[in-house]
Amino acid sequence: MDNNTYVVIMAGGIGSRFWPFSRTNYPKQFHDVLGIGESMLQMTANRFADICPPENVFVVTNKDYEALVKEQLPHLTDNQILLEPVGRNTAPCIAYASYKIAQLNPNAKLVVTPSDHVVLKQSVFTDVINEAVAAAAQDDILITLGITPSRPDTGYGYIQYIDEESTKIKKVKTFTEKPDLDLAKMFLDSGDFVWNSGIFIWSVQSILKAFQQHLSEISEIFDEGISFMNTAEEQNFITKAYSQCRNVSIDYGIMEKVDNVYVLLADIGWSDLGTWNSLYTINDKDDSGNVVDGEVMLYDTKDCIIKTPKKHLVVVQGLEDYIVAEYDNVLMICKKTEEQKVKEFMADAKSKKGIEYI
């Protein structure tokens, strides 16, 4: 375990593709999505137990979720919970954490991870992260974990790498965000594309340098607040800083532009668990191909995912390839092949029925 290794967990998203289970006041990262007694956030934090000390784990979240973070990770101090006044995508989020940690330890190596991903191979994951951290400590490089694609999925970003070295850490050639199906099939056939996991590893100095070179307007904003980091004035500064930051992802703002980005090929049993289909894919199925979580009776039903409250008895007859999802005051029934419409359903529910349904 390395005291210079820090983990930044990004936990501010709403998870709209997981509606109605993921809601504005209780997003999916705070749910026990897999039914194992741990929320996604708790699973993510526990994943790093053998990688860094608990005091080196920081969670970046929306200010509205402060109580949820404290409830689920009670060992965190207030200084380990970074509160965003408003969502501005991943670049400002990572800048905030990087500037804060740099003031605590200028020799820090950072592992940046979403809060809502699944990793099934824990020991392999620990080894992969330690390998990436060691590489980031040696060289001025930015590393992302790359996952060998199992299907031509259009919901993931793809990374093309240059396969010139025998190591698992490869130089990145291109990034492509969420291609159409034909392009995704081409990527899969080529053999030199991997999914972008969204898990990043770098030294704090390397990422700050990248911000200065490629997102200078964000670095200039945070440069003004260096003296406020880890003080009572930090939150006031962050409120002002976020009002000046534009909405930009770390992929678009930095990773697609730098020439020192590398990908570490990783077989860690990963899923971003961003959609109902991804939850269906990783779960055990019954003899009819159904994934069921709830008090459910099925008749002539196959290849469905059904997630409902334990207090409601749900009877389903005659469905094939459907999502049946109920949470709080919303029940959604949708074809699995049409799950891209979930965000549309959520938007329509907000505009036509009211914010209490989102």
Side-chain angles (χ1 to χ4, degrees), residues 288-355:
S288 298
N290 299 303
V291 172
V292 177
D293 182 5
E295 197 67 39
V296 180
M297 297 171 59
L298 300 179
Y299 301 87
D300 306 318
T301 295
K302 59 187 294 189
D303 301 331
C304 291
I305 178 165
I306 301 165
K307 191 171 182 64
T308 57
K310 298 287 194 294
K311 61 183 178 180
H312 291 174
L313 174 62
V314 177
V315 181
V316 180
Q317 189 274 332
L319 291 187
E320 180 175 351
D321 275 322
Y322 268 80
I323 303 161
V324 179
E326 181 184 3
Y327 182 77
D328 195 15
N329 55 357
V330 178
L331 168 65
M332 181 190 74
I333 303 171
C334 171
K335 290 182 179 179
K336 274 165 48 190
T337 55
E338 300 290 332
E339 72 164 354
Q340 72 274 8
K341 293 184 178 179
V342 170
K343 293 180 74 172
E344 178 185 334
F345 299 157
M346 181 178 175
D348 286 347
K350 179 181 179 180
S351 64
K352 297 177 181 178
K353 299 298 181 180
I355 60 173

Side-chain angles (χ1 to χ4, degrees), residues 241-305:
Y242 267 68
S243 71
Q244 299 171 319
C245 287
R246 65 186 173 100
N247 187 308
V248 58
S249 72
I250 197 73
D251 289 310
Y252 178 78
I254 289 180
M255 302 301 281
E256 295 179 11
K257 297 174 181 176
V258 296
D259 59 6
N260 62 333
V261 60
Y262 286 74
V263 60
L264 172 53
L265 309 186
D267 180 12
I268 54 176
W270 173 89
S271 171
D272 80 337
L273 216 60
T275 64
W276 286 106
N277 262 313
S278 62
L279 181 60
Y280 176 83
T281 298
I282 70 165
N283 264 290
D284 294 332
K285 283 83 173 170
D286 66 16
D287 292 342
S288 298
N290 299 303
V291 172
V292 177
D293 182 5
E295 197 67 39
V296 180
M297 297 171 59
L298 300 179
Y299 301 87
D300 306 318
T301 295
K302 59 187 294 189
D303 301 331
C304 291
I305 178 165

Side-chain angles (χ1 to χ4, degrees), residues 90-253:
T90 51
C93 163
I94 290 170
Y96 177 13
S98 300
Y99 272 84
K100 181 179 177 72
I101 293 171
Q103 301 314 302
L104 295 171
N105 183 351
N107 297 315
K109 281 89 68 178
L110 307 185
V111 183
V112 180
T113 179
S115 59
D116 54 359
H117 289 188
V118 171
V119 171
L120 300 177
K121 300 179 181 180
Q122 176 61 53
S123 62
V124 177
F125 175 79
T126 299
D127 291 343
V128 164
I129 293 297
N130 286 334
E131 180 180 353
V133 166
Q138 291 294 318
D139 297 300
D140 177 21
I141 56 177
L142 308 179
I143 301 171
T144 181
L145 298 190
I147 310 299
T148 301
S150 58
R151 60 190 182 276
D153 199 304
T154 60
Y156 295 150
Y158 286 73
I159 299 170
Q160 184 183 26
Y161 60 87
I162 301 171
D163 196 11
E164 292 180 342
E165 302 176 11
S166 57
T167 65
K168 290 189 292 184
I169 301 179
K170 312 287 188 182
K171 188 86 163 62
V172 169
K173 184 176 181 181
T174 62
F175 279 88
T176 304
E177 274 299 305
K178 298 179 181 178
D180 62 31
L181 184 58
D182 288 340
L183 196 54
K185 289 178 178 178
M186 289 175 56
F187 290 168
L188 203 67
D189 292 340
S190 74
D192 59 352
F193 281 83
V194 289
W195 286 334
N196 181 4
S197 69
I199 300 173
F200 305 106
I201 304 94
W202 42 54
S203 72
V204 72
Q205 299 303 330
S206 290
I207 191 60
L208 291 181
K209 177 182 173 183
F211 269 103
Q212 291 160 3
Q213 292 177 341
H214 299 282
L215 282 176
S216 59
E217 75 276 18
I218 289 181
S219 67
E220 288 170 4
I221 291 169
F222 282 93
D223 280 341
E224 295 179 3
I226 288 176
S227 62
F228 301 129
M229 292 298 177
N230 305 296
T231 75
E233 296 301 315
E234 178 179 311
Q235 198 60 53
N236 286 336
F237 166 73
I238 289 301
T239 299
K240 176 184 175 183
Y242 267 68
S243 71
Q244 299 171 319
C245 287
R246 65 186 173 100
N247 187 308
V248 58
S249 72
I250 197 73
D251 289 310
Y252 178 78

